Structures are given as structure tokens and as C-alpha cells.
Amino acid sequence: MTTATETNTAVRTMTLIQALTEAMDEELARDERIFITGEDVGPRGGVFRATMGLYEKYGPERIVDSPLGEISIAAVGIGAAVAGLRPICEMQFADFIHPAFNQIVSEAAKMYYRSNGHWPLPMVIRAPYGGGIGGGLYHSQSVEAFFAHVPGLKVVIPSTPYDAKGLLKSAIRDNNPVMFFEPKKGYRAIKGEVPDGDYTVPIGPARIAREGTDLSVYAYGMMAHYSTIAAQMVARNHDIDVEVVDIRTLLPLDKETLLKSFKKTGKALIVYEDNLTMGFGAEVAAILADEGFEYMDGPIKRLAGPDVPAVPYSHALQEAFMPNPEKIAAAIRDIIAY
């Protein structure tokens, strides 16, 4: 179900990264307090070209190349937000966010709480995450579970161009620090319709990406895209009717939609590309087991990356690590056969 508020019905087909760029462009034009900072976000347009053309349009005071230091990118954003600006901080890869962890978790997440509501912190930290691009050890990590554990942050992961634009606009307008993780494997691989004009998608509600009755698949980011493909495969080849729940916002989590789907199907598969143990899917499984026990009609299963230190660089080993539509379809068939 779409929850966006649209002001224009004309639509175009664009990639995920084009939708993100358009969201930032429109928000920069709307509010002069917004600026972007990060490594190479200026004339180069960012490592993935998400900010391409914005430096020429808005100038060096609003599209600011930062030093090579993620801790300073986050710290500058926090200081600017406290001073009344609305920064968008770009991490080149989510893998590099760890030096900024203390600033985000100890300062940004707690600023509003410790100031008794006097200092809201309207900042967005954008970070490309996940594997599948042959990036290897330091360019493929999934770090969302670290931040979804922290009250005071919001954690958002889109899987479609429509949601990418609408959710990023909502994140920029939010008065809280928002971690906005982008599935970089899908930057140019995922295409979809995006309406002209201003619209937002609210942070919080999950989306039913595909209606079904036999089993619920819970996923986000690239895995939500893959899960929809897998659902089409098992419907076509095995007459299995799968519902796909695109979680979209990990924190705050839309438990109502998750449980409503589980009540409908009685079977659940949770898919994520982080390491299996203590990844975000463990929280979803716990909620379904705890609050949806009476709906359960089979074991709640997770499909995730193995518990190894990193996504391998070798393409063959990377494929062994990553969930994909074929693996998801096989897991669906196993649960249905229970």
C-alpha cells in the first residue's frame, strides 16, 4: 500500500540513484538551510554520482567537499544541525561509517533527549550499503543492525525509486537524526515509476510489495527487490502465493503490518544480507514468535549471509555469500513443505 501524498500524477521511469538525486535537488531548492557534505560530493558528484550536478547548481557553500574523515563528517553535521541548519552527510560506503560511530550513537542519537527537547537534530546520514558489486572486504558491509539498536535514531532503507525519493524527502524534513542506508547494488539495477513534483513517503509504515496468502517474506533494500522476484518465480512454477513485506523503516519498526501479514499466512521467511547471527532479521523473528505465536503454522526461518567476517571479493564466493532470488525461492519451498 502506498502512503505517499502526491501533488502531480505525471510519472517517469528512473533508477534508484536518479530518484535520490532528484529528492536532494528538490529539497535544496525548497530550503536554504539544507546543505550536503561528504567526500567528493562536490564537482565529482560523489563516488556513485548521487550528487552529480548539485555543486554546479547550488555552489560550494551548500555542496561541501569534506576532508577524508568520517568522524568529522558526522561531527560537522551534528554541530550544524544544533546551529539551525539541516545537513545531509554522505558516507562514501557504509563500511567507512565506523569511525563516526561514537558521534552518531553517543551524540546525535542522544542530543534531543539530553537537552530535554531543546536541541532537535535534523540531520540525515546517507550511506551506500550491502554487497553484490564485487567490492570485497571494505565495500560490501551491511551495518544497519548496529544503528537499529539505538533509540534516538531513525533507520530507513528504501527498495524502489518511488520510496527512495519520498523517504529521503521525509528524512530531510525530519527533526531527528536519520540513518538512510541505500542498497548500492540496486542504484542502477532497480528502476521504477516516480511521479513528477513534490511528494513524501512517511517514515515508519512498512509496505506490502506483493499480496499473497501462503507465506510472508519480510525484507528490505535489495533483498525486498529479490524477494518479489522470488515470489513471482514460485507462483509461476510451484503455485505458491507469497506475500512480500518491504519493511522500509527498521527503526521505528512497523510491527502492526508485520504481524497482520503473519496472521494472514501463518508462515514467515525473513531475508537480509547481513550476517545471520544477531542481524536485523533476528528482531523480526522474535516479534513474530512473541506477539504472533498463535498465528504460527510452521517454523519462522531466516535467510541471510553466513557468519564470516566479510563479503568475499571473489565473485564465486560472493555469490555463495549473498541471498538471491533462487535461494529465496528454495527457502520458500522448504517452509511451504513443512
Side-chain angles (χ1 to χ4, degrees), residues 212-234:
T213 57
D214 294 336
L215 178 145
S216 299
V217 175
Y218 301 93
Y220 49 87
M222 196 69 198
M223 295 303 108
H225 182 68
Y226 280 168
S227 295
T228 303
I229 296 172
Q232 294 165 348
M233 292 166 60
V234 297

Side-chain angles (χ1 to χ4, degrees), residues 218-271:
Y218 301 93
Y220 49 87
M222 196 69 198
M223 295 303 108
H225 182 68
Y226 280 168
S227 295
T228 303
I229 296 172
Q232 294 165 348
M233 292 166 60
V234 297
R236 182 173 58 249
N237 300 326
H238 302 280
D239 196 25
I240 301 172
D241 190 17
V242 171
E243 181 151 296
V244 178
V245 181
D246 182 358
I247 296 174
R248 297 199 296 195
T249 300
L250 278 58
L251 185 67
L253 182 61
D254 180 5
K255 293 197 298 183
E256 181 179 352
T257 298
L258 271 57
L259 288 163
K260 184 177 179 181
S261 180
F262 192 45
K263 182 178 182 180
K264 180 179 177 184
T265 67
K267 291 184 171 66
L269 172 67
I270 306 147
V271 184

Side-chain angles (χ1 to χ4, degrees), residues 6-218:
E6 299 177 22
T7 57
N8 194 316
T9 54
V11 296
R12 298 149 295 149
T13 298
M14 61 175 57
T15 63
L16 193 77
I17 198 164
Q18 286 173 331
L20 293 167
T21 304
E22 187 165 282
M24 288 187 282
D25 188 3
E26 292 179 3
E27 291 301 291
L28 285 161
R30 183 186 62 82
D31 189 340
E32 292 186 351
R33 296 172 299 172
I34 297 168
F35 74 97
I36 301 173
T37 186
E39 296 153 10
D40 293 327
V41 298
R44 181 173 169 76
V47 66
F48 289 102
R49 306 296 189 264
T51 56
M52 179 67 77
L54 301 181
Y55 178 87
E56 291 75 13
K57 193 169 183 179
Y58 298 100
E61 293 187 352
R62 299 188 66 196
I63 314 297
V64 185
D65 274 335
S66 73
L68 185 63
E70 283 70 21
I71 186 173
S72 70
I73 296 172
V76 166
I78 293 168
V82 169
L85 301 179
R86 305 184 77 88
I88 303 170
C89 301
E90 179 180 296
M91 303 287 166
Q92 279 197 340
F93 291 85
D95 313 56
F96 305 151
I97 205 169
H98 305 304
F101 191 83
N102 183 59
Q103 285 293 319
I104 297 168
V105 171
S106 295
E107 305 299 337
K110 295 172 175 57
M111 191 66 72
Y112 186 79
Y113 186 83
R114 77 173 193 177
S115 67
N116 198 25
H118 292 295
W119 292 345
L121 207 75
M123 67 181 293
V124 179
I125 298 178
R126 295 181 40 249
Y129 85 101
I133 63 165
L137 187 63
Y138 290 116
H139 299 82
S140 303
Q141 295 178 34
S142 296
V143 301
E144 66 275 12
F146 296 142
F147 297 99
H149 176 69
V150 181
L153 298 177
K154 295 184 178 181
V155 180
V156 177
I157 302 181
S159 69
T160 69
Y162 181 94
D163 282 353
K165 181 178 177 181
L167 283 167
L168 183 54
K169 279 174 167 275
S170 291
I172 293 168
R173 299 177 190 185
D174 201 293
N175 282 332
N176 300 281
V178 179
M179 307 300 297
F180 199 91
F181 292 112
E182 300 162 5
K184 59 180 176 288
K185 168 71 173 176
Y187 268 157
R188 291 174 174 80
I190 299 174
K191 298 180 181 178
E193 292 187 341
V194 175
D196 279 338
D198 184 41
Y199 72 92
T200 60
V201 175
I203 294 173
R207 175 179 70 98
I208 303 300
R210 184 184 191 281
E211 298 272 1
T213 57
D214 294 336
L215 178 145
S216 299
V217 175
Y218 301 93

